[in-house]
Amino acid sequence: MASPAPLGARTWTAVLVVGLVGQLAWVIENMYLNVFVYDTISTDPAVIAWMVALSAIAATAATLLFGAWSDRLARRREFIAIGYIAWGLVTAAFGLVGAGAAGEAGGEASAVASAGATVATAVIAIIALDCVMSFIGSGANDAAFAAWVTDSTVPANRGRVDGWLAIMPLVGMLLVFALLDPLTQEGRWELFFGIVGGLTAATGVAAWFLVRDRGVARHEHGVLKAVVDGLRPATVRREPALFATLAVWGVIGVSSQVFLPYVLIYLRYSLELDGYAIVLGIVLLLASALSVVGGRLIDRFGKARVLPYAVAAFAAGLVAMTFVRDAVGVIAAATVMMAGMMGSIAAVSALTRDHTPEDRAGGVQGARMILAVMLPMIIGPAIGAAVISGSAHSYVELGVAHPVPGPEIFAAAAVVLLLVPLGIALRTRVLRRTEPAMADRG
């Protein structure tokens, strides 16, 4: 196998900085926003499931639009830089709007039963703003930045690059837990969102100077035509290996979304772990280190060869999480689970880049968002919410029982992963028919 092509210091800096801050902002949206709603507005798991699903739809619409638009212009820098600035401003504003609404709703809900209407209004306001934030963030990150990474890499170095990008959510979580989690425990949500929003906007300014467009060919079709073309059945038939790979990614995504939206609530309220932020910090450090090593293994042995082992590790960690209850057990099981999940995503992400047409890197992000993000974020949290409601775990506060996630969410996620071998077999069959050389290389 050829040696990885050097990317250069500027490119690596842009990949790491823009990638990290983007994922840090997604940590806030995907995880802490759920805790914010649970703590201050409603403990109904269906509220979180709806919020995740609707924001995923908004994110997908943005990725379809801005991905095709950036292909049409053959430029990514403006979309990344301006998008991150706007993303940061909306995130900061979220703290101002959300804190006021939640404070009012939480106070009334704890005092009188008639607060239901107020809570419903607060839920609608939070979900609407979450959709706006997701639309802007996805246009900048999932569409423009992801396409720029594809433009800037080649098959020989994508394992390393995607290995690093795969750990960015973990590093983002670690930074939030270590530096900002105390603010959430003190109820200082306005400052919490303000800090993250300011950092995101500042990264947009930095991206203007760090990101350089790669001179890829312009996509001559109009934006709307490109969006529609990317979703046509004929496109699936024309690029079967790409869509088979995205289908595998989608199954992995559904599995992860069964438990991820609820995992902080599980650790805080169900296991009641003392110092759960420290436990998570250790998990994220260990899983990140393993994921970086996994990225090198992907480049050395082949993405398709490493993928089944990474998925097996993910499944083993999920099964172990259904049995552990103490801090040491959680650290061991969650490390395997998170490292396996990140390794799986790194491998399938790099495979997706390999199958991406050179003039459609932006447009492909729309298909990726539908199959690997939107559908998993609709299906996964709904499965998780159903499992939580069916298992009937709860804690009592002021005489009121509140539902909490139980370990069953991890078992349900592991069951979903049983579909991955079928997806891998389908992808291999497609490759042998359409791209035998790539099938042999793995």
Side-chain angles (χ1 to χ4, degrees):
M1 182 176 290
S3 300
L7 295 180
R10 181 194 293 271
T11 300
W12 269 115
T13 302
V15 166
L16 297 178
V17 172
V18 179
L20 173 59
V21 175
Q23 290 304 319
L24 190 150
W26 283 135
V27 167
I28 303 306
E29 196 271 341
N30 291 332
M31 298 186 70
Y32 269 89
L33 185 55
N34 301 336
V35 178
F36 173 61
V37 170
Y38 187 91
D39 280 352
T40 62
I41 297 178
S42 174
T43 58
D44 184 353
V47 172
I48 294 176
W50 273 105
M51 182 171 66
V52 172
L54 292 174
S55 66
I57 293 171
T60 300
T63 306
L64 286 167
L65 175 62
F66 289 104
W69 193 0
S70 68
D71 279 345
R72 180 73 177 87
L73 299 177
R75 295 202 304 270
R76 321 288 186 192
R77 185 177 71 154
E78 293 91 335
F79 292 94
I80 297 170
I82 297 172
Y84 266 65
I85 292 171
W87 191 9
L89 294 176
V90 173
T91 301
F94 192 100
L96 297 174
V97 176
E104 179 184 351
E108 293 189 23
S110 64
V112 292
S114 61
T118 304
V119 172
T121 300
V123 167
I124 292 171
I126 294 297
I127 291 177
L129 195 55
D130 185 25
C131 289
V132 173
M133 185 166 64
S134 296
F135 185 88
I136 295 172
S138 286
N141 183 269
D142 291 309
F145 176 68
W148 177 79
V149 172
T150 300
D151 297 340
S152 304
T153 56
V154 295
N157 60 29
R158 283 174 180 155
R160 277 196 307 154
V161 172
D162 278 299
W164 277 101
L165 289 175
I167 72 167
M168 293 307 173
L170 305 187
V171 177
M173 286 186 232
L174 179 61
L175 291 175
V176 173
F177 295 147
L179 302 177
L180 299 178
D181 187 73
L183 295 176
T184 72
Q185 298 187 39
E186 296 169 6
R188 301 171 67 186
W189 290 100
E190 182 177 339
L191 179 59
F192 176 78
F193 286 112
I195 291 173
V196 176
L199 180 60
T200 305
T203 302
V205 175
W208 185 264
F209 301 98
L210 286 173
V211 173
R212 290 290 180 268
D213 287 315
R214 299 305 180 188
V216 297
R218 290 183 54 174
H219 201 282
E220 294 303 325
H221 295 306
V223 173
L224 293 180
K225 179 176 173 55
V227 169
V228 173
D229 181 69
L231 302 177
R232 292 171 58 210
T235 303
V236 179
R237 293 192 296 269
R238 187 174 67 242
E239 299 165 1
L242 169 63
F243 283 89
T245 304
L246 287 173
V248 175
W249 195 345
V251 175
I252 296 169
V254 170
S255 176
S256 65
Q257 287 299 321
V258 170
F259 70 92
L260 273 180
Y262 310 102
V263 70
L264 284 183
I265 301 169
Y266 173 72
L267 296 177
R268 182 182 291 187
Y269 291 101
S270 185
L271 292 188
E272 297 181 340
L273 289 179
D274 293 330
Y276 73 93
I278 297 175
V279 170
L280 280 172
I282 295 172
V283 168
L284 297 178
L285 281 173
L286 295 174
S288 297
L290 290 173
S291 296
V292 171
V293 173
R296 293 185 174 276
L297 294 176
I298 288 170
D299 279 339
R300 180 174 180 181
F301 295 106
K303 309 169 187 71
R305 290 190 178 96
V306 171
L307 177 59
Y309 295 99
V311 172
F314 184 16
L318 286 168
V319 172
M321 280 295 293
T322 65
F323 298 104
V324 297
R325 300 292 183 271
D326 61 288
V328 174
V330 168
I331 289 172
T335 297
V336 175
M337 176 183 74
M338 297 301 289
M341 184 181 77
M342 292 297 101
S344 301
I345 292 173
V348 77
S349 174
L351 284 169
T352 300
R353 296 190 199 281
D354 287 352
H355 293 302
T356 298
E358 291 185 1
D359 64 338
R360 291 190 57 241
V364 166
Q365 305 314 314
R368 177 184 64 84
M369 280 294 292
I370 292 174
L371 292 174
V373 179
M374 185 186 76
L375 291 179
M377 289 180 72
I378 293 173
I379 299 169
I383 294 173
V387 170
I388 292 168
S389 298
S391 59
H393 296 287
S394 64
Y395 76 96
V396 177
E397 183 179 46
L398 299 176
V400 179
H402 301 281
V404 294
E408 296 84 1
I409 57 174
F410 301 104
V415 170
V416 172
L417 283 182
L418 293 176
L419 294 174
V420 170
L422 296 177
I424 291 176
L426 172 63
R427 178 184 176 276
T428 301
R429 181 177 179 182
V430 167
L431 278 174
R432 286 175 177 167
R433 187 175 70 248
T434 61
E435 302 177 45
M438 181 171 287
D440 293 338
R441 290 197 305 269

